[in-house]
Amino acid sequence: MGEGMAANLLKAGRKLVVWNRGPEKSAQLAKAYPGLVTVAASAGEVVALSEVTFAMLSTLEASEAVFPSMLAAMAGGKSLVDCATLTPERMECMAGQVESKGGRFLEAPVSGSKGPAAAGQLIFLCGGSASLYEQVSPELDLMGKAKFLFGATGAGTKMKLVVNMTMGSMLATLAEGAALAEAADLSQAQLLEVLDLGVMSNMLFKLKGPAILSRDHANTQFPLKHAQKDMRFALGLGDDLGQSLPLCAAANEQMKLARSLGHQDDDFSAVYEAARAKPRTPNACAVLLDFDGTLGDTETPAMEVAFWELSPYLPGVSGAAAVQAQCQPFIVANAGKAFEFMCESVDKDRAAQGLPPLSQVATAPIADAALAQLVDARRAAFGLEPYSKAVATYPDLLVRQKEETVIALGATAQANPFVLATLAKLRAAGTSKQAIATTSGKPRVPVCVDKCGLRPFFPAAKIHSGESDFTPPRFKPAPDVYLLAAASERTPPSLCVAVEDSASGVGSAANAKMGLIVGYVGATHISDKTGHAAMLMRGEKSTDGRGADVVIERFDDLFPLVEAFNAWAEAVGTAHFQSLLSGQVAEPFDKAKLAAIFGALKGQYWA
């Protein structure tokens, strides 16, 4: 969307400063429009170099991750036009923060998808600063065919949610009608023809009907995951206003089902696949998964960002080459640990050498020029601004690390091998529920979930964070985040499978009394897989010495382990629940049952 909008401004000769969470699209625009495009190192730099900034971000999580950088550069005489579809509350919050720094704010969510964005045919639904609306009207006219100012901030977003709710409900109705026609052995093509000849003829049915007929949803104009997000926001608006929205709620459930069937990145015409899907078998157990290093191959980039945050302050290490040599050992030693614990370790080493704590030095310039150049080069690889700018942007080291890790992972995060296929297989089998139980905070994990393509499996309600969901934070090996995830899935811990890559994570699962603990060593930050597997099985962080029950190298080997555990859970279900309710010790899962399936595992395993 943003790429098409920017291209229309560039075609008209406007000079732009651009930044994207992934650098490829910015580079493409710069190549296509030489002399008109300046590629910024961060969203904050775009604001710093521009009088008016247009923002188009795909999700609420993406907005929350990027906005702090923009706000830090906001000042009097600068303005922000946000074109994303968020919530009215989010728009009002951003407007207040921008205006508190002397800037102006205009919400301008758009009606239209990728095709209209590229063709300059969007409809801008605005709210907020009337003077800014008048100022940017020429640019809105270049990017769209119509524009409206509905009133104060929030009004434009409310109108956008009403429009998209109506559109989504209409498409879900067409999908349901097409599914009924198919079940009744009627021609779906004739159904579309009949609809087009009567009062129900409309452009939406004309555009999406052929995709429903062919079941080809790959030409994505409006991703299903974004359409369902808007339905969810509309339901929230209805709740706030006491307005019943039963049709919207039903359409939202159909879109959620279609996402769970693997269509999250397809066009929202894929809601048809939910309409024709058959009911699935209820599930008995829950699979609770760590994120960094387990679902996402994110420990390596996250730990590298952490290392370069701390590298200027490491005691006893001088010179760029010596610091560089410490990077990989640091990643191995600290994977799975909260940054707060890393800071405590560095402070302890600094104190031993009579050096001041990080709190006193973390905003000072890097004295060694060669080290400063190395740090900036490594930061640039993650899309981060130079160190000298970063220390001025963020109030302290902890905030800087958290914000910059979100930015870096938003550009580099990827799922571990076989994760997406395994989750889809678990979902299709219908024998287990899945949720995330992680130490890492929000919005970091939701941003990574989106970047890795995992959102259809893990909507916001299925992401649980030891850092963000508790006050004060409850980091692993404390059991709290696993207990929270199990309770959210309405499953006793003894009927849950935990999947972990770190000693503290295994300790958390053991302390929460998970029924089965599966260790995973397939991420790139784990080089000595046998040694790491042995460490996971030792149970160094659990109160009773329990470690991982089995450790796997290939993520797809999780599926047969879960199926074996679920078969036991189904068999003991009623008696197991009765024992728990009466306060008795329920019969635990017999790990010997796994031995029968070890021969079928595809990768290396330890048990």
Side-chain angles (χ1 to χ4, degrees):
M1 292 290 291
E3 184 179 22
M5 295 164 66
N8 282 313
L9 294 176
L10 291 165
K11 289 173 186 175
R14 298 294 200 273
K15 289 187 176 182
L16 301 183
V17 181
V18 301
W19 177 82
N20 192 64
R21 287 188 293 158
E24 299 84 6
K25 290 182 180 179
S26 296
Q28 289 168 4
L29 283 174
K31 183 177 180 181
Y33 299 93
L36 292 179
V37 176
T38 299
V39 178
S42 67
E45 187 175 2
V46 174
V47 175
L49 296 176
S50 308
E51 179 184 348
V52 176
T53 299
F54 287 88
M56 173 57 95
L57 293 158
S58 59
T59 65
L60 180 61
E61 291 81 8
S63 173
E64 290 174 342
V66 173
F67 181 68
S69 175
M70 293 192 290
L71 183 63
M74 186 59 63
K78 295 186 178 295
S79 302
L80 175 61
V81 182
D82 199 306
C83 301
T85 303
L86 305 175
T87 63
E89 294 81 9
R90 175 64 183 167
M91 288 295 191
E92 290 164 358
C93 177
M94 290 193 295
Q97 291 178 284
V98 168
E99 290 163 1
S100 71
K101 299 194 72 173
R104 292 180 299 166
F105 183 88
L106 181 73
E107 62 173 346
V110 300
S111 181
S113 55
K114 285 171 60 177
Q121 294 294 298
L122 296 171
I123 302 170
F124 288 90
L125 311 174
C126 304
S129 170
S131 64
L132 180 54
Y133 175 78
E134 292 299 326
Q135 179 182 338
V136 300
S137 285
E139 284 71 36
L140 298 181
D141 290 339
L142 290 172
M143 296 184 286
K145 64 181 181 180
K147 59 185 183 296
F148 299 86
L149 181 63
F150 294 102
T153 302
T157 294
K158 290 173 184 176
M159 179 61 79
K160 173 62 187 292
L161 296 180
V162 171
V163 169
N164 276 21
M165 178 203 74
T166 304
M167 179 176 64
S169 299
M170 284 176 61
L171 188 58
T173 299
L174 175 63
E176 201 166 279
L180 180 58
E182 179 185 26
D185 291 326
L186 297 173
S187 166
Q188 293 175 319
Q190 288 181 321
L191 168 65
L192 292 177
E193 186 177 359
V194 170
L195 291 173
D196 194 43
L197 290 171
V199 295
M200 288 180 286
S201 176
N202 64 82
M203 188 57 68
L204 179 67
F205 287 7
K206 291 178 188 291
L207 290 173
K208 302 305 176 184
I212 288 175
L213 251 64
S214 64
R215 297 186 65 193
D216 182 0
H217 314 291
N219 182 21
T220 303
Q221 295 300 307
F222 186 24
L224 177 68
K225 60 187 178 184
H226 296 162
Q228 190 266 315
K229 173 206 69 174
D230 294 350
M231 301 299 278
R232 174 165 53 88
F233 287 168
L235 287 169
L237 178 61
D239 287 345
D240 291 343
L241 299 175
Q243 175 63 51
S244 177
L245 301 173
L247 298 181
C248 176
N252 182 55
E253 290 304 314
Q254 287 292 78
M255 290 185 182
K256 285 164 60 178
L257 176 56
R259 292 185 66 182
S260 76
L261 295 173
H263 298 286
Q264 67 276 7
D265 293 316
D266 289 339
D267 189 80
F268 76 138
S269 61
V271 70
Y272 171 66
E273 302 305 321
R276 70 190 302 276
K278 301 295 186 269
R280 291 172 294 181
T281 306
N283 35 49
C285 74
V287 182
L288 310 180
L289 304 109
D290 176 53
F291 189 83
D292 291 315
T294 301
L295 288 170
D297 193 8
T298 49
E299 279 289 6
T300 296
M303 289 302 103
E304 188 167 352
V305 170
F307 175 78
W308 294 112
E309 299 283 10
L310 291 170
S311 60
Y313 323 117
L314 298 177
V317 184
S318 60
V323 170
Q324 174 74 69
Q326 293 295 314
C327 183
Q328 187 58 34
F330 178 93
I331 291 173
V332 173
N334 290 282
K337 295 179 181 177
F339 187 70
E340 289 86 340
F341 296 153
M342 302 178 211
C343 291
E344 288 177 7
S345 178
V346 172
D347 270 339
K348 183 178 179 181
D349 293 341
R350 291 180 63 85
Q353 297 191 23
L355 298 173
L358 291 170
S359 59
Q360 296 181 18
V361 299
T363 57
I366 301 175
D368 185 326
L371 177 58
Q373 185 177 8
L374 173 63
V375 170
D376 282 347
R378 295 309 306 151
R379 290 174 57 83
F382 291 104
L384 302 178
E385 60 189 357
Y387 174 90
S388 59
K389 289 187 177 181
V391 296
T393 298
Y394 301 102
D396 57 50
L397 175 61
L398 186 59
V399 172
R400 187 169 82 220
Q401 181 271 339
K402 293 189 182 302
E403 297 288 353
E404 293 194 327
T405 299
V406 172
I407 294 170
L409 293 180
T412 63
Q414 57 184 347
N416 274 311
F418 308 112
V419 163
L420 286 163
T422 302
L423 291 173
K425 195 172 181 180
L426 286 168
R427 181 66 62 85
T431 52
S432 65
K433 299 163 281 189
Q434 298 88 41
I436 292 174
T438 180
T439 277
S440 301
K442 303 171 184 176
R444 167 178 164 174
V445 175
V447 166
C448 291
V449 165
D450 286 332
K451 184 66 169 62
C452 293
L454 297 172
R455 180 60 69 177
F457 304 104
F458 304 109
K462 286 182 173 284
I463 302 174
H464 309 285
S465 163
E467 177 179 312
S468 300
D469 292 342
F470 300 90
T471 304
R474 296 292 293 161
F475 297 122
K476 297 174 181 178
D480 303 68
V481 71
Y482 270 111
L483 295 175
L484 173 63
S488 297
E489 295 302 316
R490 298 184 179 182
T491 305
S494 53
L495 295 183
C496 293
V497 179
V499 189
E500 277 286 353
D501 71 294
S502 70
S504 59
V506 168
S508 178
N511 294 335
K513 309 299 181 186
M514 295 286 109
L516 176 66
I517 303 176
V518 179
Y520 173 67
V521 295
T524 57
H525 72 281
I526 302 173
S527 54
D528 179 8
K529 299 189 184 302
T530 298
H532 198 90
M535 178 270 292
L536 294 179
M537 291 190 292
R538 281 199 295 270
E540 297 170 343
K541 301 291 186 177
S542 61
T543 56
D544 61 0
R546 180 187 174 192
D549 301 306
V550 58
V551 180
I552 56 175
E553 179 185 15
R554 283 180 55 130
F555 197 88
D556 51 351
D557 282 334
L558 176 65
F559 181 78
L561 297 175
V562 171
E563 288 295 282
F565 183 82
N566 187 72
W568 166 80
E570 289 180 336
V572 304
T574 301
H576 196 89
F577 273 100
Q578 287 176 343
S579 296
L580 293 172
L581 289 172
S582 64
Q584 300 175 9
V585 177
E587 175 109 15
F589 175 64
D590 182 4
K591 314 304 187 299
K593 295 180 182 293
L594 298 178
I597 63 170
F598 284 157
L601 300 185
K602 300 174 183 177
Q604 194 172 4
Y605 70 90
W606 298 260

